Amino acid sequence: MENGAAQPVIVAIDGPSGTGKSSTSKAVAAQLGLSYLDTGAQYRAITWWMVTNGIDIEDPSAIAAVAGKPEIVSGTDPAGPTITVDGTDVAGPIRTQEVTSQVSAVSAVPEVRARITELQRSIAAGAERGIVVEGRDIGTTVLPDADLKIFLTASPEARAARRSGELNGADVNATREALVKRDAADSSRKTSPLAKADDAVEVDTTELTLPQVIECVVTLVEEKRAGK
């Protein structure tokens, strides 16, 4: 590269919900001038489409049959990531309890994962300056050749406290149960389970503040870039 321009760097950030993944990924991308992709939002978007179109979520073959239909477009600006389905802005609707409760079932369907994985790979390949991709199977399945893989963890208690804070003081115990249940579903599914890649750096966020987690990840990316 001429003029000392940095090579594009691809960063995979995986981990269960409530570990600060989204806040960290967005902040790191913004600080380093990288694109940002929330892959969970894409699975929520396809789930929203299924629910809206009355597809039977209990029937994997019904889901598989229409997995190719919705057109999902992700905007990758960390300052204002966007997501549309067939031209409709779904950033709000995909966060409803209805979608949240069904996203694991839809995400487990192999045809859905194949479709969304392909979408994610093309977005990462097209990111000129590099990208931070956040999800549950990025380092293991979607981008196994990512320059840097990070796996964020935290205790179930810490994660539940953060999530219920996000959910406006929802009951922490109920939130913890829901998180543990969703992790179990995502970790045990046959296709691309939630898992830590062998070459991922694990960052336990239980005792860290968000700025500390961001600083830690930015440092890891900068070290990786310096050594490329």
Side-chain angles (χ1 to χ4, degrees):
M1 299 286 258
E2 309 248 320
N3 313 328
Q7 289 270 22
V9 63
I10 292 183
V11 182
I13 301 187
D14 291 302
S17 6
T19 50
K21 234 179 4 194
S22 294
S23 316
T24 300
S25 302
K26 268 187 271 203
V28 168
Q31 213 166 310
L32 295 173
L34 305 173
S35 297
Y36 159 76
L37 179 62
D38 172 2
T39 66
Q42 296 177 310
Y43 284 105
R44 286 172 171 275
I46 201 164
T47 302
W48 173 85
W49 185 91
M50 299 281 173
V51 170
T52 305
N53 285 280
I55 308 301
D56 182 1
I57 303 297
E58 306 286 311
D59 181 358
S61 60
I63 293 172
V66 293
K69 284 194 164 181
E71 190 195 357
I72 298 165
V73 177
S74 296
T76 57
D77 176 359
T82 57
I83 186 153
T84 63
V85 179
D86 298 334
T88 302
D89 175 3
V90 294
I94 63 172
R95 302 290 165 189
T96 60
Q97 187 51 45
E98 187 179 23
V99 169
T100 300
S101 64
Q102 310 203 56
V103 69
S104 283
V106 173
S107 303
V109 176
E111 289 80 358
V112 169
R113 296 209 80 81
R115 162 88 205 283
I116 302 290
T117 297
E118 190 185 347
L119 185 59
Q120 290 161 0
R121 286 178 179 153
S122 67
I123 291 169
E128 288 172 16
R129 303 192 54 185
I131 192 166
V132 176
V133 184
E134 168 224 321
R136 291 173 173 236
D137 67 335
I138 310 308
T140 49
T141 303
V142 181
L143 301 168
D145 298 330
D147 300 303
L148 176 64
K149 301 176 186 180
I150 291 168
F151 195 84
L152 295 184
T153 60
S155 72
E157 291 69 26
R159 292 164 43 213
R162 288 172 193 164
R163 289 301 275 197
S164 36
E166 286 174 30
L167 304 165
N168 306 325
D171 173 14
V172 175
N173 287 334
T175 305
R176 181 177 183 273
E177 273 175 39
L179 283 180
V180 169
K181 190 174 158 191
R182 190 163 157 217
D183 286 349
D186 289 352
S187 302
S188 63
R189 64 167 178 245
K190 288 190 178 70
T191 312
S192 312
L194 161 67
K196 175 178 176 269
D198 293 338
D199 53 348
V201 180
E202 188 164 325
V203 178
D204 186 337
T205 68
T206 306
E207 305 292 334
L208 302 177
T209 63
L210 182 60
Q212 286 172 323
V213 179
I214 294 165
E215 185 184 3
C216 170
V217 175
V218 164
T219 303
L220 287 167
V221 177
E222 285 177 335
E223 284 172 359
K224 189 50 114 177
R225 266 186 159 169
K228 270 192 90 172

